[in-house]
Amino acid sequence: MVIGQKTMFVRTAGCDYRCSWCDSAFTWDGSAKDQIRKLSAQQVWEELQAIGGDRFSHVTISGGNPALLSSIGELVRLLRANGIRTAVETQGSRWQDWLLGIDDVTISPKPPSSGMNTDFAMLDEMIRRLSRSPVESMMQQIMFADDDEENGDLQALHQQVSLKVVIFDEADLDYAEQVHLRYPGIPFYMQTGNPDVLREEDDIAASLLRRYEWLIDQAMERRSFNDARILPQLHTLVWGNKRGV
């Protein structure tokens, strides 16, 4: 949804999934445990400033699964107070109230190739909470402000919500079709998967572009994807499997 957006990343450790092709398994498999730091919201903000200076106005919170952490709400409030828009990507398995304060929310349920099973009852509830009408959102914001000053600034004024499914094969395409038809009112994206997450070479762009062409061809053949957006995995095209870019 925000492809091409200039952004800073805050990556959280820990995940309730174990996707077979995860490109960030170091956040939960113990291989990078020495690199994990416990930081307060203020410390995260100070580090963002130290790295990015005044050259950013958007922060993406990713993981792992950042929705495991209720304390992210403090960071979201701090970023907003400093004029920073926020984005998050999560698989839709856990709810946190701070999600209401995120400007750009991407829910990315995992397809069969991941080896994970989707809890559609939980996903239904998350989509319901995140896709209220503008009038409902305004009323909830007023209620928050009346009832709880701390939560009064949680509601994003112009929140955008989308669904994204990563595609590796035809079973994933069928799953993506199921998700899209289940939530027809939510902007829907499909993205090519990267099967070479352990490959050290930087140049994997050629194989990713072939997969992207395949995905485009497949989407062209299905009427249900007429209003879907088909994306490459942009950062892997540019940087391969490098971290910290």
Side-chain angles (χ1 to χ4, degrees):
M1 177 173 58
V2 293
I3 192 168
Q5 168 72 55
K6 184 178 178 181
T7 192
M8 296 281 281
F9 272 80
V10 174
R11 189 177 291 281
T12 65
C15 192
D16 49 329
Y17 276 22
R18 297 292 184 267
C19 295
S20 61
W21 36 251
C22 181
D23 62 0
S24 305
F26 58 88
T27 64
W28 51 261
D29 67 4
S31 62
K33 61 182 179 181
D34 295 336
Q35 299 174 38
I36 296 171
R37 291 179 292 157
K38 292 183 178 181
L39 301 174
S40 67
Q42 181 63 37
Q43 288 172 320
V44 173
W45 171 238
E46 290 171 0
E47 184 140 343
L48 287 168
Q49 289 182 296
I51 295 170
D54 63 354
R55 302 183 305 278
F56 70 98
S57 58
H58 190 273
V59 167
T60 298
I61 303 168
S62 188
N65 182 8
L68 295 179
L69 304 177
S70 61
S71 57
I72 293 293
E74 184 180 353
L75 177 62
V76 172
R77 282 186 284 269
L78 180 58
L79 292 171
R80 171 172 291 184
N82 285 277
I84 305 297
R85 285 179 57 85
T86 53
V88 72
E89 180 159 337
T90 178
Q91 59 261 45
S93 60
R94 299 289 183 92
W95 173 260
Q96 296 288 350
D97 286 343
W98 57 256
L99 287 165
L100 295 171
I102 298 290
D103 296 290
D104 304 309
V105 179
T106 299
I107 304 295
S108 183
K110 305 309 178 189
S113 62
S114 71
M116 299 293 104
N117 295 315
T118 300
D119 181 347
F120 277 103
M122 184 67 220
L123 190 57
D124 288 346
E125 178 63 13
M126 290 192 70
I127 295 297
R128 184 191 68 78
R129 292 190 185 196
L130 289 167
S131 57
R132 295 179 306 276
S133 71
V135 171
E136 290 174 317
S137 296
M138 184 180 299
M139 290 305 297
Q140 180 162 8
Q141 188 175 14
I142 292 170
M143 290 170 63
F144 275 152
D146 288 343
D147 297 340
D148 187 342
E149 184 176 347
E150 182 180 355
N151 287 332
D153 59 356
L154 270 179
Q155 181 65 48
L157 297 178
H158 302 288
Q159 186 173 61
Q160 300 183 85
V161 179
S162 67
L163 284 156
K164 184 189 82 174
V165 177
V166 177
I167 305 295
F168 284 83
D169 53 34
E170 289 194 21
D172 290 353
L173 273 170
D174 293 339
Y175 172 87
E177 187 172 43
Q178 176 189 3
V179 170
H180 187 31
L181 293 175
R182 189 180 185 98
Y183 312 107
I186 306 297
F188 184 76
Y189 296 81
M190 291 189 293
Q191 189 174 55
T192 47
N194 174 19
D196 298 317
V197 294
L198 299 178
R199 185 170 157 185
E200 294 184 0
E201 293 86 353
D202 295 335
D203 188 11
I204 58 175
S207 63
L208 290 172
L209 286 172
R210 286 193 295 271
R211 299 181 69 85
Y212 185 37
E213 183 178 8
W214 173 84
L215 181 56
I216 291 171
D217 289 342
Q218 294 297 312
M220 291 292 289
E221 296 300 318
R222 300 198 186 199
R223 180 175 178 272
S224 55
F225 293 142
N226 282 2
D227 61 349
R229 282 81 169 228
I230 317 301
L231 300 179
Q233 196 176 51
L234 184 59
H235 69 277
T236 54
L237 287 178
V238 179
W239 292 292
N241 291 320
K242 286 182 181 177
R243 295 185 193 172
V245 292

